[in-house]
Amino acid sequence: PYEAEHHWGTEAGNGLAWFPDLLNKRNCVWGNNYENWMSEDGFDDWYLFGSSENCCEKWYPGKSDCPDTERAVNPEAEDEPWHSAPYSARNYFFPDFEKNSCGFGRDYPAWMGINGYEKTYLFTSGDGDVCCQTFFANSGSACPYENELQNDYYWTSYFDDQDNAAAMPTVYNHTYYPDINLGTCINGTDYPDWMRSDVDFERMYLFKSAEGCCNQWFNSGLSSCMTSIVQGLYDYVPCPENRPDCDETPSITDIDAHRLQQWYPALKGGNCRNDQDMPSWMLKDDYAPFYLYNTYEQCCAAFGYC
């Protein structure tokens, strides 16, 4: 029968071999994520080898550390964002030039995955250090700044062996954001509105895990941050995952009553209280975001009482 061709150079269509990683590691590596052209039109005699010795002798005779025992860091499938639009099919490390560090996920700029640019800008899982060394070796910033897999949409989780008629476990779409005064991250959605005012701010300030938040904002005190996460407030009750017709329920139904329950600075007493005896002006819309807090820790750190 006629055999279909592997047009896009996917790993499924490639046999295992030693080959030179020409752009990133610049060393011989073992795997099947080489480019299709290496196995076509006689190029395999020059690029694919049965032993590491032959590959090193041909391509890197002067390298004392040849071969590299890890996979090539560059993906082999060209134009992946285009062919798997609207979302990339895989997670890659990639340089984020606005942050002077490498990100990780499927949300890299689309141009990095087309026209051969993926060989320079996309790095496979486990090779974040190569991305950092290539683009930000002397930046002084924490690199990579994220390493969490993006599996399907970030809010989606799957549960196996659940009866179709049963409500699936409630999935909390955890959100973490940094509190600079407190020196750690808050687990909640009670962050300032400006942190979600545009896409750039969201990516900079809102995280789906404590590790991502602490690593980005408190890398020098990462251990301290991870052990001092503060439980904030979630302003909605999430729906079971398999009930798409369910509407998320706000947890705050009476904003005035909620503000009376919050912590406030007793400016004369030099401490934070939640005795519902705050000055009336603190309850007003113009002042509440700056004087009322959902946790004692946030109030205390904001006014230097602890």
Side-chain angles (χ1 to χ4, degrees):
Y2 183 77
E3 183 176 346
E5 296 182 8
H6 298 283
H7 287 288
W8 307 118
T10 58
E11 293 177 28
N14 293 333
L16 292 168
W18 287 96
F19 64 96
D21 183 350
L22 301 172
L23 293 178
N24 291 304
K25 287 191 173 181
R26 294 183 175 86
N27 206 335
C28 288
V29 294
W30 171 256
N32 57 357
N33 61 330
Y34 48 84
E35 299 183 64
N36 257 13
W37 61 265
M38 288 187 176
S39 62
E40 297 173 346
D41 301 325
F43 286 117
D44 55 333
D45 291 336
W46 294 85
Y47 291 94
L48 303 183
F49 302 88
S51 70
S52 59
E53 291 80 7
N54 289 339
C55 179
C56 292
E57 181 182 1
K58 179 67 176 179
W59 286 95
Y60 305 104
K63 269 183 97 70
S64 61
D65 60 347
C66 186
D68 190 301
T69 58
E70 302 295 331
R71 286 165 54 89
V73 301
N74 59 290
E76 91 297 350
E78 292 195 19
D79 300 347
E80 183 185 59
W82 177 266
H83 294 293
S84 56
Y87 299 105
S88 168
R90 295 188 183 186
N91 288 265
Y92 293 111
F93 284 98
F94 61 93
D96 187 332
F97 296 107
E98 292 184 358
K99 291 192 175 183
N100 285 324
S101 185
C102 289
F104 182 67
R106 303 185 304 171
D107 54 345
Y108 51 83
W111 64 265
M112 290 186 179
I114 61 175
N115 299 330
Y117 288 127
E118 70 276 0
K119 304 304 181 292
T120 301
Y121 293 100
L122 300 185
F123 299 80
T124 51
S125 177
D127 288 300
D129 56 333
V130 182
C131 176
C132 293
Q133 186 63 33
T134 302
F135 290 98
F136 308 107
N138 301 309
S139 69
S141 60
C143 189
Y145 68 82
E146 61 179 352
N147 53 21
E148 303 166 38
L149 282 172
Q150 290 181 332
N151 294 317
D152 202 75
Y153 301 107
Y154 68 84
W155 61 82
T156 302
S157 298
Y158 296 96
F159 294 86
D160 296 327
D161 304 321
Q162 290 285 338
D163 187 278
N164 287 340
M168 297 184 80
T170 298
V171 178
Y172 288 89
N173 184 19
H174 285 291
T175 299
Y176 295 84
Y177 66 93
D179 187 312
I180 305 303
N181 294 318
L182 195 55
T184 189
C185 294
I186 310 297
N187 178 10
T189 55
D190 52 344
Y191 45 78
D193 291 340
W194 58 265
M195 286 189 178
R196 202 172 185 177
S197 59
D198 64 37
V199 174
D200 289 336
F201 281 176
E202 279 191 49
R203 183 166 181 172
M204 185 178 298
Y205 292 101
L206 304 183
F207 300 83
K208 307 317 297 179
S209 73
E211 292 85 351
C213 181
C214 287
N215 187 59
Q216 171 66 16
W217 285 96
F218 308 105
N219 184 262
S220 60
L222 183 59
S223 177
S224 175
C225 176
M226 289 295 297
T227 57
S228 59
I229 299 295
V230 173
Q231 182 60 58
L233 175 74
Y234 278 82
D235 57 9
Y236 65 89
V237 178
C239 293
E241 191 71 16
N242 65 342
R243 294 294 182 266
D245 55 339
C246 169
D247 293 325
E248 292 178 345
T249 306
S251 60
I252 302 174
T253 56
D254 187 333
I255 188 61
D256 294 326
H258 172 71
R259 286 177 179 174
L260 283 172
Q261 300 296 325
Q262 290 186 285
W263 291 87
Y264 71 94
L267 301 179
K268 291 185 178 180
N271 59 8
C272 288
R273 305 173 184 174
N274 67 337
D275 55 10
Q276 302 186 28
D277 195 31
M278 67 278 287
S280 59
W281 57 267
M282 287 188 183
L283 298 170
K284 298 183 181 299
D285 292 343
D286 290 341
Y287 298 101
F290 304 101
Y291 289 93
L292 302 183
Y293 297 85
N294 290 310
T295 68
Y296 167 80
E297 292 87 349
Q298 289 172 286
C299 175
C300 186
F303 287 88
Y305 295 156
C306 57

